[in-house]
Amino acid sequence: MEMLIDRFGEDWLMLASGVLVGLIFGAAAYQSRFCLRAATVEVANRQLGPKLGIWLVAFFAALATVQAALLLRVLDVSAARQLTGTGSLSGAIIGGLLFGCGMILARGCASRLLVLSASGNLRAIVTGLVLTLSAQASLRGVLSPLRETLAGLWTVSGIDFRRLVDPETEVFPVIVAACVIAFLASVAYGLSRRVRAWDLLAAAVVGLAISLGWWLTWLIANASFEVVQVQSVTFTGPSTDTLMALVNESVMPLSFGLGLVPGVFAGAMVVSVLKGEARIQRFETDTPMERYLVGGVLMGFGSMLAGGCAVGAGMAGGSVFALTAWLAVFCMWIGAVATQLSLHRPLAARASPG
């Protein structure tokens, strides 16, 4: 790695790592139809089915492989932003609930919208742009004072308070074994719901892409004399940075996120073309545009408040046992299930006799 850094520099290696991880994630996510929103809909409808199985396999694949790498000491995530500095519990709760609500309204989370955009889905493209602009407004624009106020209501500081599991404890091998068992159980659950083995493998690759992101950026950071952020897959921040760089910068700064977003798009596009599913999809009468736009705004603000999207917090942050990440993804589930139930109860009531 030191030789590669000397030849290409940290920035180019981070960019290349982002592209590689993005290609793998995008292709696998499209093939498996990985989607947190679809899983929450099944739970809300009391139909525990294949979509839940896909999400569980991806989640526990990321969790098990990252924790196993920590146990084997081939990875160190102690410098990850999800575990350092000040974390916001209030932000995780409120932001997670808002993100979950927006995810249902927009029919997909940030990662799913990017993947669908690659197949020609104009609804996903428009909603993704609204999400990105809302996130930027929440980070540095007109919504930032509100975000900072909500985030400051309940905070925790330092890795000792933000990490749920310490790799240095004696019980850590037992925890890693439990993560592996949970992954195997999720695979068994997926098979029991008649999910194709190929799709389950693709879902596992989604989780492995999370682990690969952590590992590649750690390798670069560990060999570099410069400060390099150890990070993995997330979408709201990189999408915002990419859009703002395209709009404001004549020369875009190279980074992991800058490679990740186009990498995911390219990976998903290749698979959609190979499967013959690439086609233009517009807003229709049964897909009201206003619902998508509101969902995009809620997800943009919610993700910045929660410290990440369904993948950035739920998968990447969850895989390193970050307290705020687990709280955020739990609240995303609650917000999504509650929104799904509220949207469909009136329909059920109108359809009932009398």
Side-chain angles (χ1 to χ4, degrees), residues 56-340:
L56 289 174
V57 168
F59 178 83
F60 283 114
L63 182 65
T65 51
V66 169
Q67 295 303 310
L70 292 174
L71 177 64
L72 297 173
R73 298 187 182 277
V74 295
L75 175 65
D76 181 6
V77 295
S78 58
R81 68 167 181 83
Q82 290 91 337
L83 297 173
T84 58
T86 301
S88 172
L89 297 180
S90 58
I93 295 171
I94 301 171
L97 292 172
L98 292 176
F99 189 95
C101 176
M103 185 170 60
I104 294 297
L105 295 177
R107 298 180 63 85
C109 66
S111 63
R112 185 61 180 165
L113 292 176
L114 180 58
V115 169
L116 290 176
S117 298
S119 67
N121 191 316
L122 298 182
R123 300 190 300 270
I125 293 175
V126 171
T127 308
L129 287 173
V130 172
L131 187 159
T132 302
L133 292 173
S134 174
Q136 179 64 20
S138 304
L139 180 63
R140 298 187 179 91
V142 66
L143 295 177
S144 60
L146 176 60
R147 175 186 59 80
E148 292 170 358
T149 299
L150 295 176
L153 295 177
W154 188 11
T155 62
V156 290
S157 299
I159 192 170
D160 292 337
F161 294 97
R162 297 189 66 181
R163 175 177 262 175
L164 292 172
V165 175
D166 187 352
E168 301 301 324
T169 60
E170 294 181 355
V171 299
F172 186 60
V174 178
I175 295 173
V176 174
C179 293
V180 173
I181 293 172
F183 168 70
L184 295 176
S186 67
V187 172
Y189 171 81
L191 292 173
S192 72
R193 294 300 181 269
R194 298 186 178 183
V195 181
R196 295 183 303 172
W198 177 246
D199 291 339
L200 285 177
L201 176 60
V205 172
V206 170
L208 290 175
I210 304 295
S211 304
L212 182 62
W214 285 121
W215 185 65
L216 288 176
T217 57
W218 172 76
L219 285 178
I220 296 171
N222 195 46
S224 174
F225 290 105
E226 303 294 331
V227 177
V228 176
Q229 182 182 357
V230 179
Q231 58 190 296
S232 188
V233 180
T234 186
F235 289 99
T236 309
S239 297
T240 301
D241 292 340
T242 301
L243 179 60
M244 291 302 103
L246 289 171
V247 173
N248 295 325
E249 305 291 340
S250 58
V251 178
M252 291 189 292
L254 305 181
S255 65
F256 180 84
L258 185 63
L260 177 70
V261 173
V264 171
F265 189 92
M269 182 173 63
V270 168
V271 176
S272 69
V273 171
L274 291 176
K275 297 182 70 173
E277 296 177 356
R279 64 184 185 277
I280 298 298
Q281 299 180 59
R282 302 177 176 85
F283 288 99
E284 306 291 346
T285 54
D286 60 339
T287 55
M289 185 176 184
E290 60 273 18
R291 179 177 292 183
Y292 284 80
L293 299 183
V294 172
V297 171
L298 291 177
M299 281 195 290
F301 181 77
S303 61
M304 284 300 174
L305 181 58
C309 61
V311 172
M315 297 281 289
S319 69
V320 297
F321 275 119
L323 169 61
T324 49
W326 278 72
L327 183 58
V329 74
F330 174 76
C331 291
M332 289 177 189
W333 272 88
I334 298 299
V337 170
T339 303
Q340 177 70 16

